[in-house]
Amino acid sequence: MARLDVTEHCHNIAFPGHLHTQESLGFAQNFRFQDSDTVIVTYPKSGTTWMQEILTLIHSKGDPTLSQNIPNWSRAPWLEQFYSPEVLGASQSPRIITTHLPYHMLASALKGSKAKIIYVARNPKDVVVSFYYFHKMANFLPDPSSFEEFLDNFLEGTVHYGSWFDHVKGWTSHSNDLNFLYIAYEEMWKDLKGSLERLSSFLQFPLQPDELTNTQRHCSFNSMKENKMVNYTLIPEEIMDHRKGQFMRKGKIGDWKNIFTKQQNSRFEDFFDEEMLNTDLTFIWE
Ligand code: A3P
């Protein structure tokens, strides 16, 4: 499935045709979740792969065998991507499922479900920067041209996968209707051990101290950067051009300061303040 120049549209949101079809997007929206499922929900570049690694390791009690031998998209498949019916059909519960879809596209499938939803959010200035660099290396995403233009598209919500603002507001405003845990990328970064404890308790997968230490070690940025099952070096050059960048790029908080101009920052902040006016979400920016 190459389709590198194909874009699929669904609910007015663009999705890369390399990974999505109308059928796969329909499959996701009609999916029958099991109560034993754990669903990682993220806007792209918010720490999806990190959470896939963490949950795999928690389920394996810190043993890295699975996370070092099976690619992340096989052990925590994206519900809306074309291969998911096959992968999910073959997987046993408890399943780890990933999605980038906005709440409204999964609302009906999740109605009444007790599946555990883990929403990972990241400060959107770092998201837009990470997404920009990802567009440069991922040949299934449009050429981002300048950062200025990409930032405009991000704020307008016309980038692939839609608006960050709609995504985070849509999911968090329905947290009470779901079995829901909200966690920030920055919280994991600043206190990984505490975050792992919070996650294992939500998942009802208690970890012994040595299991916790092993989990922590194997999901560190440096371990994941070396693990070809998560660093995307398994993906051929014509799909992800590794000469143009690395998937495991920097993994830092506040990298936006290296690219945002003063004007871009004030434009971003005005837009953010207006969009997020009625939420009580707070973000760590640096
Ligand atoms: P950067 O591009 O800022 O480095 P996603 O998996 O949602 O696509 O997110 C990718 C981002 O998460 C990248 O950010 C990547 O480096 C970062 N990341 C992945 N694993 C990480 C880890 N263990 N610790 C910190 N950041 C991590």
Side-chain angles (χ1 to χ4, degrees):
M1 174 125 164
R3 304 199 332 141
L4 292 174
D5 295 328
V6 178
T7 299
E8 294 289 356
H9 288 92
C10 192
H11 290 256
N12 278 328
I13 299 176
F15 294 92
H18 172 62
L19 295 164
H20 306 82
T21 60
Q22 287 302 323
E23 292 70 35
S24 74
L25 291 160
F27 172 82
Q29 292 174 84
N30 294 311
F31 189 66
R32 294 178 79 136
F33 288 94
Q34 297 171 3
D35 289 348
S36 55
D37 289 337
T38 298
V39 190
I40 301 169
V41 183
T42 56
Y43 186 85
K45 314 320 286 179
S46 302
T48 323
T49 317
W50 195 6
M51 187 55 75
Q52 290 173 325
E53 196 73 344
I54 289 173
L55 297 195
T56 304
L57 286 160
I58 291 179
H59 278 200
S60 324
K61 296 193 171 291
D63 178 347
T65 310
L66 201 60
S67 67
Q68 291 176 355
N69 289 287
I70 312 275
N72 58 325
W73 58 85
S74 291
R75 51 186 151 84
W78 273 263
L79 180 61
E80 59 274 17
Q81 297 186 358
F82 71 93
Y83 54 76
S84 104
E86 196 181 326
V87 176
L88 285 170
S91 66
Q92 289 173 354
S93 76
R95 305 182 292 191
I96 302 171
I97 301 171
T98 306
T99 184
H100 286 324
L101 295 182
Y103 174 74
H104 63 90
M105 286 179 70
L106 289 184
S108 122
L110 281 169
K111 204 168 182 347
S113 167
K114 295 193 182 71
K116 298 180 187 73
I117 310 293
I118 298 180
Y119 190 88
V120 189
R122 183 182 192 186
N123 91 60
K125 291 184 191 175
D126 283 335
V127 169
V128 66
V129 171
S130 179
F131 210 13
Y132 171 69
Y133 286 110
F134 188 56
H135 274 66
K136 288 188 169 218
M137 72 175 297
N139 289 334
F140 54 85
L141 289 169
D143 180 355
S145 66
S146 68
F147 180 68
E148 177 81 12
E149 200 173 307
F150 189 75
L151 182 60
D152 282 345
N153 296 338
F154 181 84
L155 293 176
E156 280 164 19
T158 53
V159 287
H160 278 48
Y161 299 97
S163 156
W164 177 89
F165 297 93
D166 291 349
H167 200 279
V168 69
K169 287 191 289 185
W171 280 100
T172 55
S173 63
H174 289 93
S175 58
N176 292 336
D177 311 335
L178 301 161
N179 187 2
F180 192 87
L181 179 106
Y182 175 92
I183 192 161
Y185 173 98
E186 293 78 11
E187 178 184 344
M188 306 201 296
W189 204 92
K190 287 179 164 249
D191 179 15
L192 183 55
K193 185 162 177 271
S195 300
L196 295 177
E197 284 168 341
R198 192 151 94 83
L199 286 159
S200 77
S201 137
F202 177 69
L203 295 169
Q204 295 169 320
F205 260 90
L207 296 178
Q208 296 301 317
D210 59 322
E211 296 167 348
L212 185 66
T213 308
N214 287 339
T215 300
Q216 194 173 346
R217 172 164 2 116
H218 295 298
C219 71
S220 71
F221 183 82
N222 288 337
S223 305
M224 286 179 58
K225 198 176 167 72
E226 298 307 317
N227 180 359
K228 60 180 188 306
M229 297 299 144
V230 284
N231 66 15
Y232 285 91
T233 52
L234 291 179
I235 303 292
E237 202 89 338
E238 62 269 23
I239 295 169
M240 267 195 205
D241 193 338
H242 304 285
R243 292 164 309 182
K244 292 192 183 152
Q246 289 181 308
F247 179 85
M248 297 292 298
R249 197 180 58 92
K250 288 195 179 174
K252 295 239 158 77
I253 306 174
D255 188 41
W256 62 270
K257 288 199 273 180
N258 294 317
I259 182 164
F260 271 58
T261 63
K262 263 203 169 109
Q263 286 87 341
Q264 286 167 346
N265 193 35
S266 64
R267 187 151 56 88
F268 191 102
E269 291 191 345
D270 289 347
F271 193 93
F272 180 91
D273 290 347
E274 194 165 315
E275 282 285 326
M276 302 302 276
L277 197 62
N278 296 320
T279 75
D280 50 13
L281 297 173
T282 54
F283 292 91
I284 294 175
W285 303 96
E286 49 191 278

